Amino acid sequence: MSDTLGYKLERQVDDYIEHELEEEIGLTKKDYGIESYMDEYLKEALKGGAKTLNKTNFGEPDFNITKYDVPVLFENKLYSKYLIKLDAKGRISTTQSAIKKYAVNGALHYARTILKSKMYKSCIIVGVAGDNPDHVVQQVYYVYAVNGKPKRMYEYDNLHFLSTKEAFQDFLNNALLTETEKHQVLVKSQQKLQKKAKLLNKLMNNLNISTEQRVVYVSGMLLAMQKVTDAKTGQYIAGGLTPCDLQGIQSEKQSDSIKIIDQLSDFLNKRGNITQDKQKLMMDSFEGAIHSDLDRDKLIDKDKIVGKMIQTEKASITKQVFTFLYKEIFLQIDADSGSLDIMGSMYSEFLKYALGDGGSLGKVLTPPYITNLMAKAIDVGMNDRVMDLATGSGAFLVSSMKLMIDDANNTYGSNSEKANRKIQQIKKSQLLGVEYDAKMYTLAASNMILRGDGSSQIKKGDTFKEPTKLYTEFNANKLLLNPPFSVNHK
């Protein structure tokens, strides 16, 4: 029998990790934080991540390390049996009970919280559980997507990847997803998005929102949820709207729809890279969809689709749609679904309803799998200049931008200073789209903003009447185009 005394308190496991980080790995107390001691950026990303049922406070991992490009979050538990809890399908359980009781499950909850915040693109988690100093077990995972399966990093459980910048980079190099893994994530995300779009369409149909308004309604609300940042400096200005902000006040100046419109105006204006004429075009479209029917701000019985999402007995149509979008779509859009045409998927789903009712929205959009295939077929890379003269919802540009960004990260190192400079250049000046239809123009600009901007060079106009200078100065070397053959425009 071992003479080693067993642990009685979780704090003893914390002390073990603290000793390991300092004595074995060589970190100092300045290199890591314990519980609420963390930098303000991480604290902001962890808002709403508390492991309580209402999740109103920010989460507090037992340890956090933010000295490298990707944050590392620890969750420690007393007794090795509380290391990890799997569900019936062998996946890390996400039940409230598992998140509170088990180390890996709790750490994964925190990781997904910061990815949902859009402030981080990936995270490393460490689950730790111990019985005594001779029996402490650790598991390390790389978390790359809100919905993706965390990647188990078996060879790094000793935590020595935290010792130097070079060792940490080696970890990241091994953690990067293969093309097959990336494809699996995209397919899964696309399937989930299509299911949510179908359910959202049913909700909007139940609430009598006209088919022709729906996709602009969706894009405007999704933009209103975004954090307001200066597009040129990246500086945080203000948070986005949440369902709690829509309180159903029966006043024209404080109604739910007006709050969304005001937030949209503020969002577009403060970004600093959207011209006044572009802002006016977009706001006209948004107001025509979101604030066109004042009855939608009246309090009514909740539709059963959102019955459990909203705590009050009644809610406005505006809030019901906004809440579904926020919880079922906005929080699920993450970095690894970057080549998904969010607005295009929504539009295509709404188009099915319009055609089924004998109507027509007048556009047939290119499916994402085709836009991805075509962008790869012409070998789009980080130095290309890509043009689409019938932009639609921006699907070709979305797919191209994703390939260009991936190429920059692979060439210069993910999140390196040189890669980030190149990515900003790609978004600002290497993508050009021209769209004649005002509604589709709004969707394309929104879509590119939701995918990390890239909207600066989307023009509202007639491809055949735009000044030749626009095309000669852009000097495209790659062209992706699905002409609107059904449109009779002279």
Side-chain angles (χ1 to χ4, degrees), residues 74-106:
F74 287 72
E75 187 66 8
N76 307 331
K77 293 297 178 184
L78 178 63
Y79 305 134
S80 58
K81 65 180 181 180
Y82 293 118
L83 175 65
I84 186 171
K85 175 71 172 179
L86 302 179
D87 63 18
K89 294 183 178 180
R91 301 170 302 192
I92 299 173
S93 176
T94 57
T95 65
Q96 189 66 28
S97 175
I99 288 170
K100 291 183 69 174
K101 290 183 179 179
Y102 294 86
V104 172
N105 306 67

Side-chain angles (χ1 to χ4, degrees), residues 314-376:
K314 295 179 180 290
S316 69
I317 288 174
T318 303
K319 180 166 183 173
Q320 292 187 51
V321 176
F322 187 93
T323 301
F324 182 93
L325 271 171
Y326 185 83
K327 294 188 175 183
E328 298 296 322
I329 294 180
F330 175 72
L331 294 180
Q332 305 304 319
I333 299 173
D334 54 68
D336 287 281
S337 54
S339 65
L340 296 184
D341 175 16
I342 304 297
M343 290 301 104
S345 293
M346 293 293 172
Y347 188 94
S348 296
E349 187 60 39
F350 299 145
L351 182 63
K352 294 176 188 176
Y353 275 67
L355 295 176
D357 292 338
S360 175
L361 294 180
K363 304 282 183 181
V364 178
L365 302 180
T366 312
Y369 70 89
I370 295 294
T371 62
N372 292 338
L373 175 65
M374 295 304 294
K376 290 178 180 178

